[in-house]
Amino acid sequence: MLQVENKLELFENVVYKRRLLDLEKEKEAWEEEKKNLLERKNKQLSEEKAHIIKRRANLASVMGNEKIVKARENERVLELKKINELNDDFIEAIEARVRAYTETDEYKQALVDRVVESLNDLEPGKYQLGLVKRDMDRFFDDIQEKASEKGFTLCPHVLPDGRIGGHTITDMDETYSLNYDLATKIHEKQYEIGKLLYRLFGEEMEHE
């Protein structure tokens, strides 16, 4: 009986306890593996989260920049539209002032003098003199008289009323023309007026 008990004790001490020890080591190894697995997974999730956040931030930045660019472009379009409107209004105001000027005695004298100056650049001969109808009715005879003194014969040519005033001189073969009508002179300055308005408007925007 004692021998059996000794054998059981030996089994317990040698085999059973060793088995428990092995199981404990396996448990520790499994716990360590589980810990490492969780750490790797958490690290992976953190990296993916950081990547997603960065991607969203970049996307938001790009979208934000696009919105800024679009807003600036819309602002520029509105600015140019306003400048063009101001330019048109300015030209209309100038044309109105010039139309009023053509009703003055000062305009008559200036027109006659300007035609005579134009003839000084030409060889005496026969030419077409372009005037708007109102000026043709009022001033042609006086201009023709002065032109005759210089050896010129002028044939009347009525310009559209949209030319406002001023004059044109064309040779009879219509190979060249001197254009001094007022509407053309005004619109020749329209680009310069637009640049001036753009500069002034830009300075105003900078101070807002």
Side-chain angles (χ1 to χ4, degrees), residues 126-130 153-157 168-172 174:
K126 191 174 184 179
Y127 296 88
Q128 296 182 55
L129 175 66
T153 300
L154 301 178
C155 300
H157 171 67
T168 65
I169 297 178
T170 308
D171 68 310
M172 298 307 295
E174 297 186 351

Side-chain angles (χ1 to χ4, degrees), residues 6-27:
N6 290 337
K7 289 181 179 181
L8 289 174
E9 184 179 353
L10 179 64
F11 174 79
E12 180 181 353
N13 290 333
V14 177
V15 179
Y16 178 70
K17 287 184 178 180
R18 181 178 296 171
R19 182 59 179 163
L20 287 178
L21 183 61
D22 291 341
L23 290 174
E24 187 66 27
K25 289 181 178 180
E26 289 180 4
K27 180 181 177 182

Side-chain angles (χ1 to χ4, degrees), residues 99-111:
R99 288 183 190 280
Y101 169 67
T102 61
E103 300 295 334
T104 65
D105 292 337
E106 181 183 358
Y107 167 70
K108 174 186 176 181
Q109 189 59 51
L111 175 63

